Amino acid sequence: MDVHRIRYVPYNPSPINCVAFSQSAVISKRSGPIRLAIGRASGDIEIWNPLAGSWHQETIIRGGKDRTVDGLVWVTEPDQTTQDGKKIAGRLRLFSFGYSSTVTEWDLEKGRPKHQSSGTHGDIWCLAVQPFVGTGKTGDRSQPKVYHTGKKLVAGTMDGSLVLYDIDDGELRYERVLARASSKKTKMVSIAFKNRNTVVVGTSQSCILVYDMRNGTTLAKMTLGSDLASGAREIIAWCVKCLDGGDIVSGDSTGEVRIWDGKTYTQAQRLKGHSSDVLSLVANADGSTIVTGGMDRRTALYKKTAGSRWAKVFHKRYHHHDVKTMASFEGLGMSVVISGGPDATPIVMPLLKAGLENHRTLSFLPQDPPMQSAPKSRLIVSWWDREVSIWQLPNSLGDLADRSSDDTRDLAKNRKRLARILIKGEANITSTSISADGSLLVVSTTSDIKAFYLKRAKNNGDDLKISKIDMEEQVAALGATKTLISPDGQWVCLVQTGSSVSLLRVAQPSDAPKPSFHPKASRLQRVRRQIPKHIAMGGLGQYDRTITQAAFSPDSQMLAVADLAGYIDTWVLGQQQQKSINAENGATDVDGDEKMDDTSDSEDEDGATTTEGIKWRRNPNTSLIPKLHNAPTVLAFSNHTPSTNSAAEDDDYTLLAVTSKPQIILVHPTFGSLTSWSRRNPISSFPAKFRDIRDLVKGALWSGDRVWLYGNTYLFMIDTSQDLAGSNTDDLGAGNELVLQGRKRKRGTDSGAGNKMTTGAIGPTKVVRHGEGGSTEDIPVDGPMFDPMDEDDMSHAGDSDSDDSDDDVQGELSILRGTQGKRTKDPQAKERPAFWHTFKYRPILGLAPLGDEGSSPGQDGGSAQLTLHGARPRPLEVALVERPLFEVDLPDRYFGEGES
């Protein structure tokens, strides 16, 4: 592979202003889905799935011009029970504010605002939801635990008002002002509920106020005194939290953490944990651990000692800037704290095992790379907020190597930004796609779709002439969350409203100066899935049907999309003869729980007619394609195009799917079955270097039989013409394959952050047993971690997604077929490795192909077709874009005494 290592492509990550879990603690696995929302200063909201420590960024709800997200609140509606006794988990709703007087509710399924409301009050600085009350599983039932949220939002404003918003019946309405501070200078900066009827508010006037929710009266005023350093400055209570026992903890601008008695509202203890302002604070579910973050970049942990006294255990600097926000989660085998700030990087810190496990740094770059290339014209397109940049790398590495080695100017000249496009409107860009020849550019937001025709100027080859292509207003007004141009440039795929797929026909008349679109978009019908109503009506609703991946086949005759639930839908163009095989020959459902309803194949639903009588039809065998075990992160066709005259049973497209667990499978989409290579190579046979990686796969490039997978910190190569010899299968004899396939993977000791610390731990991590003859044996101190909040002992077995082995996804029948039909190895396979990797590039924003030799699937598939089935692939030329954090402009930070 020839790699152009690039760092000049612009992408500045936005600071993190707030983080919020849908639930802070889980008492049952049937309590509904868990998601993490991260709000950024650009107005973007990222939705993450913890996945027992895999941390998958599922979707991004894009913001816009002069928009910001400064607070997020999840609301969980009460659970319901159907007539047949099945429990429907309460619906999840997400609300935000952005230092304005408006509260916004977000539609997660469509990725756009659902409701907005504002009142006659000042800008909102803090927001909380009134809780329901339910008794906990253990402990004193007179001290109930809060685990459901209510029907009122309470907001604190900069003019000292405490206001109510009604969220009953799925609506959002401003209700009234609950209370006002006595001084107009008072600002409500933080808020927390002690119980359903008592709310605690931190202010900017050296006090913490306690209000009665029923009538708005002030129950108590807890004073903070004056700043000891200046003597006159007012103390700001930046964060407040109510512990499980009823006590109150606060962090303020003096760097102190104060503990308040929840009955008398008097100060019980204060701790000096920071050298500057304490900006964020969280506590665990039982109120025995407190974690704070400050302007001094410290993250400090406090533990309850004998009696009611607290002591600081340690502090560390995980961030490069202020620790502005925090959120904690406990349950499902996890116990973590998520923090963020102006350095734009989410940090995962262990909570229950703090000091025994390492922290983990999540990527500040998006999971879906914001860049693409036009290989034939050697163009690179990147986008950020509302701006699109077009770059060109005119010379290949081979051309540069043939020139004089001392002429370094050629390297600097081998790049040029041809154009910079600023998209009109207020919404940020959701997706951008460019055709393989670089002539068509499509840009989408949540409210609009724009298309441009790119043409080189005749008098100057470096200049790019850009002209807008008109699009039907009815189609463009819907916007799109994802766009994709087919390799031949004749079709544009639009994913609209999150789960709807439409196609636009591109026409290039000989007498017209630029291409045009057919006025009517063709909407493709997806296979109906029989999802139980108690699942579809509760939790996140139809959010799992959100399409996140799409890919065209190299000849533009097939389109494939995949959603967060793991379902893959495919369509074929024209009258291409469909090959079919029995579902028993490899078509297996990964989960095996949900069946697919493919009975309604009427002419209206099966295809969509466009101009010239061309029709896209649903692939008859699309319901046979295995359901992925988890949400996909990559979907890509190989370069191989099946021959229409071939009689071979395995001559079909090859579709690669990579999931978030991870799981890597190759599918013959026309047949609706796994490939023989995928059946012979489950994830357990992959090298340990790949299986142990924590970052998810972001993208894939095909070069013949080789596929290159990349993530935030790594680049892997897998040769699909060879079988992988993993360490887990080396010692297996004949007949043991089925035993390996059905074996469960035991949960490790990680609590959702990093791995166990080997040095610098605050407690013992292993015991060394000394035996006779000087032999020693290392015995782990802790075994698999069980969640103390689970309501029964069997909560870690059976129905847990994180407990299922990745090898279970293909079934015993598939493995038996793979072991009985071992493929004869290619004599040339020994000359090249089946697996290769490197960690020298980081962090990787994206990887894009250049030139005709190393074209990617869906862009120039025909050039690499002759390299399949044993022939050596041509060199793949790519542009690898890095965005290290030290090259990102960060705002000025606080420097303490002795720092420089």
Side-chain angles (χ1 to χ4, degrees):
M1 175 188 284
D2 294 337
V3 179
H4 296 265
R5 195 171 184 178
I6 296 173
R7 288 186 177 178
Y8 52 79
V9 173
Y11 185 85
N12 289 331
S14 181
I16 296 176
N17 286 343
C18 52
V19 294
F21 280 101
S22 57
Q23 300 181 58
S24 60
V26 174
I27 61 175
S28 170
K29 289 197 171 186
R30 293 174 289 275
S31 60
I34 304 299
R35 293 296 186 273
L36 168 69
I38 297 180
R40 295 187 179 267
S42 62
D44 293 350
I45 299 177
E46 302 172 2
I47 307 299
W48 293 68
N49 189 342
L51 282 177
S54 294
W55 298 105
H56 176 209
Q57 185 191 87
E58 294 181 331
T59 57
I60 299 179
I61 303 175
R62 295 296 181 181
K65 180 182 179 182
D66 299 329
R67 301 179 193 172
T68 181
V69 176
D70 293 289
L72 289 166
V73 172
W74 288 92
V75 172
T76 306
E77 295 183 346
D79 297 340
Q80 299 179 2
T81 304
T82 60
Q83 295 180 353
D84 55 359
K86 292 184 178 180
K87 177 182 176 182
I88 300 179
R91 291 295 298 265
L92 288 177
R93 303 170 65 186
L94 180 61
F95 297 85
S96 73
F97 67 91
Y99 286 158
S100 66
S101 59
T102 302
V103 178
T104 303
E105 180 182 2
W106 295 93
D107 190 332
L108 299 182
E109 298 176 10
K110 297 181 180 180
R112 59 182 60 181
K114 186 176 184 179
H115 297 113
Q116 286 186 327
S117 181
S118 61
T120 56
H121 52 75
D123 293 347
I124 298 174
W125 276 35
C126 55
L127 185 69
V129 59
Q130 183 183 23
F132 286 121
V133 177
T135 55
K137 175 191 165 185
T138 60
D140 186 4
R141 290 185 177 270
S142 64
Q143 297 292 338
K145 289 188 177 181
V146 176
Y147 67 95
H148 271 313
T149 49
K151 299 181 180 180
K152 301 286 185 183
L153 287 178
V154 184
T157 66
M158 67 175 299
D159 59 0
S161 300
L162 204 62
V163 297
L164 295 181
Y165 283 85
D166 184 12
I167 56 174
D168 196 9
D169 297 329
E171 298 294 331
L172 173 62
R173 296 181 293 267
Y174 169 73
E175 188 171 295
R176 62 187 174 91
V177 175
L178 178 66
R180 293 185 186 274
S182 57
S183 174
K184 294 184 178 179
K185 295 182 179 180
T186 302
K187 296 178 176 61
M188 308 289 195
V189 297
S190 57
I191 190 170
F193 272 90
K194 181 183 175 184
N195 53 51
R196 178 171 175 80
N197 298 320
T198 307
V199 60
V200 182
V201 181
T203 72
S204 61
Q205 295 295 308
S206 300
C207 65
I208 298 174
L209 302 176
V210 184
Y211 291 98
D212 191 327
M213 280 287 296
R214 291 167 291 191
N215 50 31
T217 59
T218 303
L219 299 178
K221 180 179 180 180
M222 300 178 286
T223 59
L224 302 174
S226 60
D227 193 342
L228 299 179
S230 62
R233 186 162 59 95
E234 298 290 347
I235 297 177
I236 304 174
W238 287 117
C239 46
V240 293
K241 183 76 175 179
C242 296
L243 303 180
D244 183 58
D247 290 343
I248 302 169
V249 58
S250 66
D252 54 51
S253 56
T254 65
E256 291 185 342
V257 177
R258 308 191 188 211
I259 312 297
W260 306 85
D261 189 291
K263 296 179 180 180
T264 62
Y265 299 111
T266 58
Q267 182 174 289
Q269 187 181 357
R270 66 181 185 180
L271 303 165
K272 185 67 174 178
H274 297 266
S275 59
S276 187
D277 299 43
V278 179
L279 302 178
S280 54
L281 182 152
V282 294
N284 66 340
D286 60 7
S288 62
T289 303
I290 297 173
V291 182
T292 61
M295 191 181 293
D296 56 359
R297 296 177 291 139
R298 291 180 181 178
T299 300
L301 183 135
Y302 311 83
K303 288 276 190 181
K304 199 176 222 182
T305 59
S308 60
R309 304 297 292 175
W310 290 80
K312 179 180 174 181
V313 180
F314 67 85
H315 73 261
K316 291 186 177 181
R317 285 176 172 164
Y318 301 118
H319 288 272
H320 299 281
H321 214 287
D322 304 350
V323 187
K324 186 177 182 179
T325 180
M326 281 185 174
S328 63
F329 172 73
E330 292 181 276
L332 306 180
M334 299 178 63
S335 179
V336 295
V337 173
I338 294 286
S339 60
D343 62 0
T345 305
I347 299 292
V348 186
M349 169 189 167
L351 181 56
L352 179 64
K353 296 189 176 182
L356 299 176
E357 290 182 357
N358 293 303
H359 73 285
R360 180 180 173 187
T361 302
L362 301 182
S363 176
F364 57 87
L365 301 175
Q367 174 68 29
D368 191 11
M371 59 167 291
Q372 203 179 24
S373 68
K376 294 181 179 180
S377 56
R378 304 183 63 85
L379 298 180
I380 299 176
V381 175
S382 66
W383 58 94
W384 168 56
D385 285 351
R386 294 176 295 115
E387 178 183 317
V388 179
S389 298
I390 303 177
W391 303 79
Q392 185 187 33
L393 276 70
N395 300 314
S396 65
L397 290 179
D399 295 337
L400 295 175
D402 293 338
R403 300 180 183 181
S404 176
S405 59
D406 56 356
D407 190 0
T408 58
R409 293 177 299 175
D410 291 339
L411 296 176
K413 291 180 179 180
N414 194 38
R415 69 184 191 199
K416 184 174 183 180
R417 183 159 67 177
L418 300 180
R420 178 173 169 265
I421 305 173
L422 185 63
I423 303 300
K424 292 183 179 180
E426 296 185 353
N428 287 346
I429 296 173
T430 57
S431 179
T432 298
S433 183
I434 189 171
S435 60
D437 59 2
S439 62
L440 178 62
L441 178 69
V442 179
V443 183
S444 66
T445 66
T446 55
S447 58
D448 195 10
I449 302 175
K450 298 182 184 296
F452 303 94
Y453 177 60
L454 311 180
K455 184 179 181 180
R456 294 291 181 87
K458 296 182 179 180
N459 54 351
N460 190 345
D462 291 337
D463 291 339
L464 195 64
K465 183 180 179 180
I466 302 175
S467 57
K468 186 177 178 180
I469 302 177
D470 295 332
M471 185 178 296
E472 187 69 21
E473 179 66 23
Q474 186 177 2
V475 176
L478 293 176
T481 56
K482 193 172 188 64
T483 62
L484 185 66
I485 302 177
S486 62
D488 59 7
Q490 297 183 12
W491 300 95
V492 177
C493 174
L494 304 175
V495 178
Q496 298 176 306
T497 64
S499 58
S500 175
V501 183
S502 300
L503 283 172
L504 278 176
R505 173 73 169 176
V506 181
Q508 180 63 66
S510 57
D511 56 345
K514 59 183 178 181
S516 60
F517 293 109
H518 189 268
K520 184 178 179 182
S522 305
R523 182 171 179 179
L524 305 183
Q525 298 295 328
R526 301 173 64 188
V527 175
R528 295 174 181 173
R529 315 289 179 173
Q530 290 184 346
I531 302 176
K533 289 185 178 180
H534 70 277
I535 296 178
M537 296 175 61
L540 293 170
Q542 298 291 330
Y543 168 75
D544 283 347
R545 299 309 313 277
T546 301
I547 296 174
T548 58
Q549 303 295 327
F552 276 102
S553 63
D555 58 358
S556 305
Q557 297 295 307
M558 178 174 282
L559 172 66
V561 300
D563 57 25
L564 292 175
Y567 292 112
I568 299 176
D569 291 279
T570 57
W571 298 269
V572 292
L573 179 63
Q575 303 297 325
Q576 179 180 356
Q577 184 178 359
Q578 300 300 311
K579 304 175 184 179
S580 62
I581 64 173
N582 195 299
E584 295 181 357
N585 294 334
T588 57
D589 192 332
V590 172
D591 286 349
D593 296 333
E594 301 172 359
K595 301 300 180 183
M596 307 175 187
D597 184 6
D598 197 21
T599 59
S600 59
D601 286 337
S602 64
E603 191 66 19
D604 293 339
E605 293 185 354
D606 189 50
T609 304
T610 65
T611 56
E612 303 175 4
I614 301 177
K615 175 177 287 189
W616 282 88
R617 295 181 179 272
R618 183 193 302 159
N619 177 17
N621 292 326
T622 191
S623 59
L624 303 181
I625 298 177
K627 178 180 180 293
L628 303 178
H629 192 64
N630 291 96
T633 60
V634 172
L635 193 69
F637 279 94
S638 72
N639 307 110
H640 175 63
T641 301
S643 174
T644 56
N645 300 324
S646 175
E649 294 184 356
D650 61 345
D651 187 20
D652 188 21
Y653 301 108
T654 300
L655 180 63
L656 167 72
V658 184
T659 67
S660 54
K661 281 309 286 183
Q663 170 197 6
I664 297 180
I665 64 171
L666 299 180
V667 177
H668 286 319
T670 309
F671 297 150
S673 66
L674 299 176
T675 65
S676 59
W677 182 92
S678 192
R679 292 196 293 268
R680 293 192 307 269
N681 293 271
I683 195 65
S684 60
S685 66
F686 280 59
K689 285 287 187 181
F690 182 82
R691 289 184 282 109
D692 294 343
I693 202 72
R694 290 180 178 266
D695 294 331
L696 303 183
V697 179
K698 297 176 62 173
L701 295 179
W702 281 90
S703 178
D705 288 326
R706 291 180 174 181
V707 58
W708 297 82
L709 307 175
Y710 68 93
N712 185 55
T713 59
Y714 59 84
L715 179 63
F716 287 94
M717 185 279 295
I718 298 173
D719 191 343
T720 60
S721 65
Q722 307 179 53
D723 289 337
L724 300 173
S727 59
N728 288 358
T729 58
D730 290 343
D731 298 331
L732 292 176
N736 288 339
E737 292 83 357
L738 297 182
V739 178
L740 173 66
Q741 189 70 10
R743 187 174 60 194
K744 294 285 186 180
R745 183 184 66 240
K746 295 181 179 179
R747 185 191 302 275
T749 58
D750 294 353
S751 61
N755 52 8
K756 186 183 298 183
M757 299 177 67
T758 56
T759 58
I762 63 174
T765 58
K766 66 180 179 179
V767 175
V768 180
R769 175 185 293 173
H770 296 271
E772 297 180 358
S775 62
T776 60
E777 179 184 3
D778 293 342
I779 303 176
V781 172
D782 52 351
M785 185 180 71
F786 294 96
D787 187 1
M789 303 190 69
D790 284 343
E791 60 182 8
D792 54 63
D793 294 336
M794 298 301 294
S795 61
H796 284 282
D799 58 349
S800 172
D801 291 341
S802 59
D803 279 312
D804 292 340
S805 171
D806 290 330
D807 300 333
D808 295 339
V809 300
Q810 299 175 31
E812 296 183 356
L813 186 60
S814 297
I815 292 299
L816 182 60
R817 284 193 298 268
T819 57
Q820 290 178 346
K822 289 288 186 180
R823 164 180 178 175
T824 304
K825 292 188 176 180
D826 186 356
Q828 296 183 0
K830 296 182 180 180
E831 300 178 4
R832 59 180 187 267
F835 178 82
W836 179 88
H837 71 280
T838 181
F839 297 100
K840 66 183 294 186
Y841 308 109
R842 61 177 61 193
I844 299 176
L845 176 68
L847 192 70
L850 296 173
D852 292 337
E853 297 87 358
S855 58
S856 71
Q859 290 184 317
D860 186 17
S863 62
Q865 183 175 346
L866 298 177
T867 66
L868 296 174
H869 307 302
R872 289 183 178 273
R874 300 177 185 178
L876 179 66
E877 184 182 6
V878 299
L880 190 149
V881 180
E882 296 174 297
R883 289 300 294 166
L885 188 61
F886 61 80
E887 292 190 358
V888 176
D889 294 332
L890 298 177
D892 295 337
R893 66 174 178 85
Y894 167 82
F895 286 92
E897 185 177 355
E899 291 187 81
S900 59

